[in-house]
Amino acid sequence: MKRAIITGVTGQDGSYLAELLLKKGYEVYGIIRRSSSFNTSRIDHLYQDPHNQPKLRLIYGDLTDGGNLSSVLNDTQPDEVYNLAAQSHVRVSFDQPIYTANTDALGTLRLLEALRMMKKPPRFYQASSSEMYGKVVETPQTERTPFCPRSPYACAKVYSHWQTVNYREAYGLFACNGILFNHESPRRGETFVTRKITRAATRIKEGLQDKLYLGNLEAKRDWGYAGDYVEAMQLMLQQDKPDDYVIATGQTYSVRQFLDEVFGYLDLDWHNYVVIDPKYFRPTEVDLLQGDASKARKVLGWKPTVDFKQLARMMTDADRNIARNERLVKEHNK
Ligand code: NAP
Ligand code: GDD
C-alpha cells in the first residue's frame, strides 16, 4: 500500500486528491493548520467513518514551520508528497506579500530541504500555477512558455517552481511541477470569481440577496474541473521520470461569459444585479490564460472530462441547493 502526504488537504484540491488517493487504496495523511474555528468541512466525509475507522489521518503542520515539516515526514515516511498548501488568493497576495512569499515560496523550500535530508526521499508534487505566465508572451501557453509573473502570489509560485526543478536536477529528487490552469468545483473557495458568481446568482434566484459586486469582467481564464485536475497530479508521480506538465482544457472564456452562462441557466439577466466595485480590481491583472496540455495528453494519457458549460451548471446546481435550504430555514424561523 502506498502512503501519501497532502499539504493543503483542507482546501479544494486537497479534498479531491485525498478522495482519489483513498479510492486508489493509498494510506493518506493530511497536514492541517490549527484554526480557531473548524476548517475541515471539505474533508469531514473522509475521516468520519461510520465504523470509526480513520481513513484519512490528519496531522497539525504549517509550511512556515520547517522543523514541524521535517518531523512529520520522518514520522510517516511517505512514498509521495503533494504540496498543495498555499495562500492561494491572487488579490490577497497584494495585501499580504510577505506572508504569501513565506508560505508559497519559502514553504516549498522548507519542504524540499526536509525531503532532501531523508534517507529515501519520497516523490514530490508541487502545485505550480498558470498565474506564473502573467503578462503572457504567447497563446496558448505550454511548458516552454516563459513566465512573466504579475502578482506577489505568482512571483512566489515561480520561485517554488524553479526550486522544484533545481532539487530535481541537483539532488536527483523525483520532483514534478503541475502547471495547473484555473480549476473550479462546488468546493471552490467562495471568494474566487466562479464560486462568488454561482453563489450570488443562486441566492438572488432564491430571493436572499439583490446585488453582486465584482471587479474586472474582461479577464479570460481557462477554467476546468478540479476533480479532473487532481487525477493529473497523481499520474505525474507514477511516471518513470519526473517532469513538469501543463494541465488545462485549452478553452478560454471571460468572467462576463461565465456570468452569461450562470445567470442565463437561472433565467436571470445579470445586468440587473451586477455592480462593478473597483475594490476588486488588481494593481496588475492577468488578462488572458489559455493552456496547451498536449504533453499531458500524450505522456500521462490525461484529458479533461468537464467543459465550461457543464462546470458552470454543476456549480450552479450545487449552490442552488445550498441557497434553497438557506431560504427554507429562514422561512421556518420567521
Ligand atoms: P485553497 O482551496 O485555497 O487551499 C489552500 C490550502 O492551503 C488550504 O488547505 C489551506 O488551509 C492551506 N494553507 C494555507 N496556508 C498554509 C500554511 N501556511 N501552511 C499549511 N497549509 C496552508 O487552494 P486550492 O484551489 O485547493 O489550490 C491548491 C494549490 O494549487 C494551491 O497551492 C494553489 O496555489 C494551487 N493552484 C490552484 C489553482 C486553482 O485554480 N485552484 C490553479 C493553479 C494552482 P486552510 O483551509 O486552513 O486555509
Ligand atoms: N476573486 C475575484 N473576485 N476575481 C474577480 C472578481 C471578484 O470579485 N471580479 C473579477 N474578477 C477577476 C479577477 O480580476 C481575475 O482576472 C479573474 O476574475 C479570476 O480571479 P480568481 O477567481 O480570483 O482567480 P485567479 O485567476 O486570480 O487565481 C486562481 O487561479 C490561479 C491559476 O491561474 C487561483 O486559484 C490561484 O491560486 C491559481 O494559481
Side-chain angles (χ1 to χ4, degrees), residues 34-218:
R34 195 268 157 184
S35 161
S36 67
S37 55
F38 291 118
N39 61 355
T40 55
S41 63
R42 291 185 179 105
I43 49 169
D44 283 344
H45 63 295
L46 296 178
Y47 73 94
Q48 286 176 357
D49 185 277
H51 308 294
N52 247 352
Q53 296 294 323
K55 290 155 78 187
L56 166 68
R57 296 179 172 84
L58 299 179
I59 307 176
Y60 282 111
D62 198 299
L63 284 193
T64 58
D65 183 343
N68 151 271
L69 295 173
S70 234
S71 58
V72 169
L73 285 168
N74 285 315
D75 289 349
T76 51
Q77 295 290 329
D79 303 292
E80 297 173 7
V81 173
Y82 295 86
N83 183 30
L84 310 186
Q87 189 303 91
S88 73
H89 203 284
V90 173
R91 179 67 194 83
V92 171
S93 78
F94 287 97
D95 301 325
Q96 293 195 289
I98 292 168
Y99 174 72
T100 302
N102 195 9
T103 300
D104 300 11
L106 288 180
T108 309
L109 184 60
R110 291 184 188 101
L111 205 42
L112 286 166
E113 270 292 274
L115 293 177
R116 182 170 79 84
M117 304 298 179
M118 291 174 76
K119 262 204 192 107
K120 192 173 167 277
R123 295 185 168 202
F124 178 72
Y125 172 87
Q126 168 58 18
S128 274
S129 166
S130 53
E131 187 70 16
M132 302 186 302
Y133 296 117
K135 198 169 165 119
V136 298
V137 299
E138 63 179 9
T139 298
Q141 297 88 44
T142 73
E143 294 80 6
R144 290 174 307 283
T145 304
F147 301 138
C148 187
R150 299 264 280 170
S151 64
Y153 166 82
C155 292
K157 285 286 183 182
V158 171
Y159 177 89
S160 285
H161 181 95
W162 284 117
Q163 285 292 16
T164 301
V165 173
N166 268 274
Y167 272 64
R168 178 166 80 214
E169 293 177 355
Y171 307 116
L173 286 192
F174 192 107
C176 302
N177 286 296
I179 308 172
L180 271 51
F181 282 63
N182 297 51
H183 46 279
E184 320 293 309
S185 72
R187 295 184 203 164
R188 184 56 145 152
E190 287 89 346
T191 61
F192 296 96
V193 78
T194 53
R195 185 78 200 283
K196 189 170 165 183
I197 291 170
T198 56
R199 195 165 173 269
T202 50
R203 293 186 86 248
I204 288 168
K205 186 73 183 175
E206 294 294 331
L208 294 164
Q209 76 182 67
D210 53 12
K211 289 281 174 258
L212 164 59
Y213 296 90
L214 290 173
N216 177 15
L217 306 188
E218 309 314 325

